[in-house]
């Protein structure tokens, strides 16, 4: 190929860029594009050789990743049409603003018009078969700018202005698709159906493209540094639709079909958790973020491998069944349960404690609590349930024989974590000796605030499922325990006890859930002995007004009834316990009931509970004297009577019974 200035300019300006993939701009001064879009090169830079500055057909200028585009030889008439579209789009904007922070609009129009004029000259010269002396003269006089477009065809008078605008924000370490190849040591062979252009040391693009033209001359030059094959083509055929298409034939693009199984993704999560100590939930979040960021910076040919991984992380990925015993957390749980069982057995054999082992026991228990709290719940449940939950039974037995509070407190934290994971764990604890041990510890340590709070919280969780204690426990647990707790609430020793008052009240609410028979409710039996319960009644009034149930602690199991509403129903079942509430308390409670009955739909079981509470307030207080919100209650009863749904039958029956029991109020 000749090396004259004219030949070089002609070959250079027949090249365009075509996008291989979609790209979304995330860095300053870059531009987004779709697969198949065309561009003209405006500038390349040795400082940012993986990013090329281009102009789109709409006149937008910006940087694109070089490995997302390929160079094509096209008809000059196609480029002229492309430039006309770009210039026309730019002229539609009147303001002379900087485009994408790179170049002024008028300067870009000037540059594109110069390139268009230069190409029109080349087209005219080719059509005449020789140079046009008049056009050559214009070029010589400077009327048509035809300087060599170095650095990607940028005109001389604008090159310096644009070069300093190259953004430092654009990463310089973008990977290119041919980065594994060394262009100085590769052999490029031309075939009759292909045109190959040897890449320069600063050119990282894919530069081969099928063409309909035939090869006429092939020259191969070999040196010690490189082997380069250069092909000269016949004059390409004229483009029929220069506005849209180039006269090229594309190789079919290979589509990737990647399958990633859940165990493979979970192995990544396990590695993240093992090496970072992040929780399972946080490990899932971290992997989602990493995949999202990689997708933004990697080409689509690579990100197609990431999509199947991300699909498994739409929600937090639980451990596949075949991996339950293989993860790091599962192995650690087995070791910890085994070691703690050994400590329990040693304690049974010695019947006294070696205090030198306390540090090791506390370390195992601390790790156990951390794993039960942070690890995949499915793995924890699997290891806990091994051998019919023998690990939990061992820990309960160990608590019973252990006297050191520092160890007992960690055991309580482990029991709490287990309870939040599995209903069966709570049921095992309820039916074990643990509740009696906890109650006895509270009765024996009435002034230890830290101990009382930990024990109360554990008992609240155990009782929150609403199951009855075993019969042998019920025989030993009477109203004395409730009286002890209420005394701590109503007569706190100091400010420290004020801080645990709520915990003690929640314990009573949860404990009351197991009693369905009003005649055998030890909580109400204890309250009948009280003359005043101001702190307790004020707190539960606040809770019912907030529609809150502090006993609903476990995600896997809800209390059988709202514990606060049940406490009110049970306390208003007898005049003596109803008298613990002041008249103003009764009015406030009626206000709350009216609000709830007005809002709750048919079929909600709690609506019937509020109706029952209204009946007991009317029956066991002086409501007949003040008849607070009587008309609102009457309207509510009438509305419920008018509901023509089968699910309203139970509520209608309660309303009918209230009206019949108190005709002087509701039938007057």
């Amino acid at each position: 190929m000749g090396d004259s200035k004219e030949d070089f300019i002609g070959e250079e300006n027949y090249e365009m860029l075509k996008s291989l993939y979609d790209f979304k701009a995330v860095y300053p001064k870059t531009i987004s594009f779709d697969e198949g879009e065309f561009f003209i090169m405006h500038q390349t830079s040795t400082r940012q050789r993986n990013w090329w500055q281009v102009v789109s057909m709409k006149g937008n200028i910006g940087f694109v990743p070089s490995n997302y585009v390929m160079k094509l030889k096209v008809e000059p008439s196609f480029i002229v049409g492309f430039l006309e579209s770009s210039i026309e789009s730019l002229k539609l904007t009147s303001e002379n603003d900087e485009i994408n922070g790179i170049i002024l609009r008028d300067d870009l129009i000037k540059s594109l018009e110069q390139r268009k004029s230069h190409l029109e000259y080349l087209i005219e010269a080719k059509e005449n078969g020789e140079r046009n002396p008049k056009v050559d003269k214009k070029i010589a006089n400077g009327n048509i700018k035809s300087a060599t477009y170095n650095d990607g065809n940028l005109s001389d008078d604008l090159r310096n202005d644009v070069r300093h605008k190259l953004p430092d924000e654009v990463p310089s370490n973008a990977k290119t698709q041919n980065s594994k190849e060394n262009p100085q040591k590769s052999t490029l062979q031309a075939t009759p159906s292909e045109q190959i252009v040897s890449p320069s040391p600063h050119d990282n693009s894919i530069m081969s493209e099928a063409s309909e033209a035939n090869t006429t001359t092939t020259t191969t030059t070999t040196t010690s540094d490189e082997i380069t094959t250069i092909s000269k083509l016949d004059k390409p055929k004229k483009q029929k639709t220069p506005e849209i298409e180039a006269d090229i034939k594309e190789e079919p693009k290979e589509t990737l079909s990647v399958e990633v199984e859940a165990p493979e993704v979970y192995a990544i999560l396990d590695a993240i958790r093992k090496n970072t100590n992040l929780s399972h939930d946080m490990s899932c979040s971290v992997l989602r973020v990493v995949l999202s960021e990689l997708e933004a910076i990697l080409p689509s040919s690579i990100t197609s491998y990431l999509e199947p991984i991300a699909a498994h992380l739409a929600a937090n990925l639980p451990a596949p069944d075949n991996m339950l015993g293989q993860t790091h957390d599962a192995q650690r749980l087995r070791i910890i349960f085994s070691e703690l069982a050994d400590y329990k057995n040693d304690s049974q054999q010695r019947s006294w404690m070696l205090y030198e082992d306390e540090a090791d026991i506390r370390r195992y228990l601390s790790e156990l609590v951390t794993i039960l709290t942070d690890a995949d719940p499915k793995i924890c449940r699997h290891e806990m349930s091994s051998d019919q939950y023998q690990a939990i039974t061992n820990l309960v037995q160990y608590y019973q024989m252990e006297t050191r509070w520092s160890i007992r407190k960690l055991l309580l934290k482990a029991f709490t974590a287990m309870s939040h994971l599995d209903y069966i764990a709570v049921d095992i604890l309820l039916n074990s000796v643990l509740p009696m041990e906890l109650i006895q510890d509270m009765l024996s340590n009435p002034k230890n605030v830290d101990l009382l709070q930990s024990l109360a919280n554990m008992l609240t969780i155990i009782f929150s499922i609403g199951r009855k204690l075993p019969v042998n426990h019920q025989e030993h647990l009477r109203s004395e325990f409730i009286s002890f707790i209420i005394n701590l609430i109503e007569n706190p020793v100091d400010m420290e006890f004020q801080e645990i008052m709520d915990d003690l009240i929640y314990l009573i609410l949860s404990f009351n859930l197991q009693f369905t028979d009003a005649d055998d409710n030890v909580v109400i039996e204890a309250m009948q002995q009280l003359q005043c319960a101001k702190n307790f009644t004020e707190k539960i009034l606040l809770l019912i007004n907030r529609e809150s149930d502090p006993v609903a602690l476990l995600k896997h199991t809800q209390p059988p009834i709202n514990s606060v509403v049940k406490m009110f129903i049970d306390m208003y079942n007898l005049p003596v316990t109803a008298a613990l509430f002041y008249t103003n308390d009764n009015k406030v409670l009626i206000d709350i009931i009216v609000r709830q009955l007005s809002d709750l739909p048919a079929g909600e079981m709690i609506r019937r509970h509020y109706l029952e509470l209204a009946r007991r307030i009317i029956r066991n207080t002086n409501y007949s004297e003040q008849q607070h919100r009587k008309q609102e209650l009457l309207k509510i009863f009438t509305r419920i009577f008018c509901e023509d749904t089968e699910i309203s039958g139970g509520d209608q029956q309660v309303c009918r019974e209230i009206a019949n029991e108190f005709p002087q109020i509701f039938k007057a």
Side-chain angles (χ1 to χ4, degrees), residues 227-342:
I227 301 176
T228 305
T229 302
I230 303 173
S231 301
K232 293 185 66 176
L233 304 180
D234 288 337
K235 178 180 178 181
K237 298 177 182 179
K238 279 196 174 183
Q239 180 60 274
K240 294 181 180 180
T241 55
E243 299 83 7
I244 304 174
E245 298 178 350
D247 189 11
I248 58 173
K249 185 184 295 182
E250 295 187 37
E251 294 287 343
K253 193 166 87 172
E254 180 182 0
T255 58
L256 298 172
S257 177
V258 183
E259 292 186 4
V260 180
E261 300 296 333
E264 298 171 304
V265 179
Y266 197 87
I268 301 175
L269 292 173
D270 189 42
I272 293 174
R273 169 154 166 71
K274 178 181 177 181
N275 290 281
T276 65
N277 290 323
L278 292 173
S279 68
H280 174 68
D281 291 350
M282 285 299 299
S283 298
C284 291
S285 298
V286 165
L287 185 52
R288 277 194 290 267
V289 171
V290 170
L291 292 174
S292 176
E293 293 301 314
L294 287 175
E295 188 176 11
I297 64 175
L298 294 177
S300 59
S301 59
I302 297 177
T303 57
S304 60
Y305 288 94
L306 305 180
E307 292 172 359
I309 301 176
H312 287 289
L313 296 167
N316 288 350
L317 180 65
D321 291 343
N322 60 351
M323 293 187 68
L324 286 174
Q326 302 175 12
T327 63
H328 177 70
D329 286 321
Q331 295 168 4
R332 289 302 303 163
L333 283 174
R334 286 196 294 272
I335 292 172
I336 293 170
F337 285 144
S338 176
E339 291 294 326
L340 292 174
D342 289 342

Side-chain angles (χ1 to χ4, degrees), residues 486-487 489-491 505 526-527 529-541 571 577 579-582 585:
I486 292 178
N487 184 62
I489 295 171
E490 298 299 327
N491 302 290
I505 291 173
M527 288 189 171
Q529 311 303 318
L530 299 175
Q531 299 298 318
C532 177
K534 182 176 181 294
N535 291 339
F536 183 79
T537 55
E538 285 182 354
K539 180 62 180 181
I540 62 175
L541 269 172
M571 290 186 70
T577 49
L580 293 173
F581 295 93
Y582 299 113
D585 294 338

